[in-house]
Amino acid sequence: AVVSTQSTGGEITPVSAEQSSTRDNNEAEFGAHNAIDLDVTTLSRTYQALNQWFRLSLGEVQCVANLIVFEHDGSRRRTYNCSSTQCDCEGKYCEKFSLTVSTIGIFPEELTEERT
């Protein structure tokens, strides 16, 4: 699978991924790492249940403009276009999924002044 994030400065490759569960407990076939391996033939899947989540780490603070989820054939499944306050979805299954962009940890000093 391929999940692509883009900032105002270009494409960002996530450094890690994790998810709330893995379908059939099969990490090799459905693990979160498959979502960021740049291979559209692999899958990242959770169990079908309420409150499932998927988390990407970008490695450092980034300004995320959009996030694109691709189908197995390389076509776009969903695109999230993000502002400083929310991300709006276009494409398949938007009613079933949401995206929240946040920072875990401490902001670099050059960003804290802009946000206060």
Side-chain angles (χ1 to χ4, degrees):
V2 179
V3 175
S4 173
T5 55
Q6 296 180 340
S7 71
T8 54
E11 189 168 333
I12 305 165
T13 302
V15 296
S16 66
E18 58 185 309
Q19 58 195 23
S20 55
S21 65
T22 300
R23 184 177 178 179
D24 301 329
N25 292 318
N26 187 337
E27 285 293 326
E29 189 171 354
F30 301 119
H33 65 281
N34 289 333
I36 61 172
D37 65 1
L38 303 178
D39 181 351
V40 295
T41 65
T42 61
L43 295 169
S44 169
R45 293 254 169 103
T46 63
Y47 283 106
Q48 290 185 343
L50 294 175
N51 301 319
Q52 297 295 302
W53 53 264
F54 179 85
R55 180 179 300 138
L56 292 174
S57 173
L58 304 180
E60 61 186 18
V61 174
Q62 299 278 353
C63 180
V64 175
N66 59 48
L67 181 128
I68 304 166
V69 180
F70 291 93
E71 295 278 8
H72 298 288
D73 64 3
S75 64
R76 289 182 182 202
R77 175 177 265 193
R78 275 185 308 284
T79 299
Y80 295 92
N81 297 302
C82 303
S83 69
S84 61
T85 58
Q86 70 180 35
C87 294
D88 296 317
C89 183
E90 298 173 2
K92 295 181 182 177
Y93 310 115
C94 288
E95 70 281 359
K96 294 183 179 185
F97 300 94
S98 64
L99 173 68
T100 303
V101 177
S102 63
T103 300
I104 298 173
I106 300 170
F107 279 110
E109 285 188 33
E110 66 270 14
L111 291 180
T112 56
E113 290 180 17
E114 293 178 15
R115 296 196 180 263
T116 54

